Amino acid sequence: MTTNALAEFIERARTVTIDEAVDRLPGVVRSGKRHENAGPCPVCGGWDGFAFNTQKNAWNCRAAGKGGRDAISLAEHVLSLDVRHRAGFLIACEAVLGEAAPDPDAIESPEEQAAREARIAAQKRENEAKAAAREKAGNDFRTREIAK
């Protein structure tokens, strides 16, 4: 079971873009291009097997055969974590946010709990709206390309 403080922490971590996370993760470097960046993987090495696109919010490691569309999965790969387990997931969240996870045993007042639940609900709505906007932008792009 997660506390409200921990749930809010996780929701905030889900909003972090790859563009924001790249600067907080060790070994990930920008290649100097605007959106599309390629270079050596911080885990696998090589020359150009690792790439991330800040506009598409996506990353890919050809050597490991892994990729994703969020900062938490990028942190999982770069830090060699297993986010299927709570500890690995929380470490990935901490890495993309650049802050420690809240104490799950902390006790909060009913007012603090109500305020936190409201923030969590608002954050979830914002996350869903951003995801829908990204999907719509992608669909619009595909429609324009097909029309060409």
Side-chain angles (χ1 to χ4, degrees):
M1 184 173 149
T2 60
T3 64
N4 286 335
L6 198 53
E8 180 184 23
F9 175 79
I10 291 167
E11 279 305 313
R12 284 191 303 114
R14 288 184 175 140
T15 66
V16 175
T17 64
I18 287 176
D19 190 27
E20 297 165 333
V22 163
D23 298 328
R24 296 180 183 133
L25 296 173
V28 181
V29 293
R30 297 177 189 272
S31 62
K33 297 188 178 170
R34 187 167 178 205
H35 298 294
E36 187 71 39
N37 296 268
C41 177
V43 177
C44 307
W47 293 99
D48 68 348
F50 179 79
F52 61 92
N53 186 308
T54 58
Q55 187 175 23
K56 295 178 182 177
N57 202 46
W59 67 274
N60 182 41
C61 175
R62 290 191 299 274
K66 294 182 179 180
R69 299 188 65 81
D70 67 341
I72 294 173
S73 66
L74 176 61
E76 173 187 20
H77 178 67
V78 170
L79 301 174
S80 301
L81 300 169
D82 183 0
V83 296
R84 293 175 294 177
H85 295 97
R86 178 184 173 116
F89 182 73
L90 289 177
I91 292 170
C93 290
E94 289 176 341
V96 300
L97 282 171
E99 63 184 69
D103 179 11
D105 298 326
I107 299 173
E108 53 186 12
S109 71
E111 295 83 19
E112 291 173 327
Q113 182 177 359
R116 193 173 300 282
E117 287 173 356
R119 286 193 306 268
I120 291 170
Q123 191 70 61
K124 283 183 180 181
R125 285 191 302 273
E126 182 180 336
N127 291 353
E128 290 167 359
K130 285 181 180 179
R134 277 193 305 270
E135 187 169 333
K136 182 183 180 329
N139 290 339
D140 291 347
F141 172 77
R142 282 188 284 283
T143 302
R144 283 192 308 273
E145 289 299 309
I146 290 170
K148 287 181 185 178

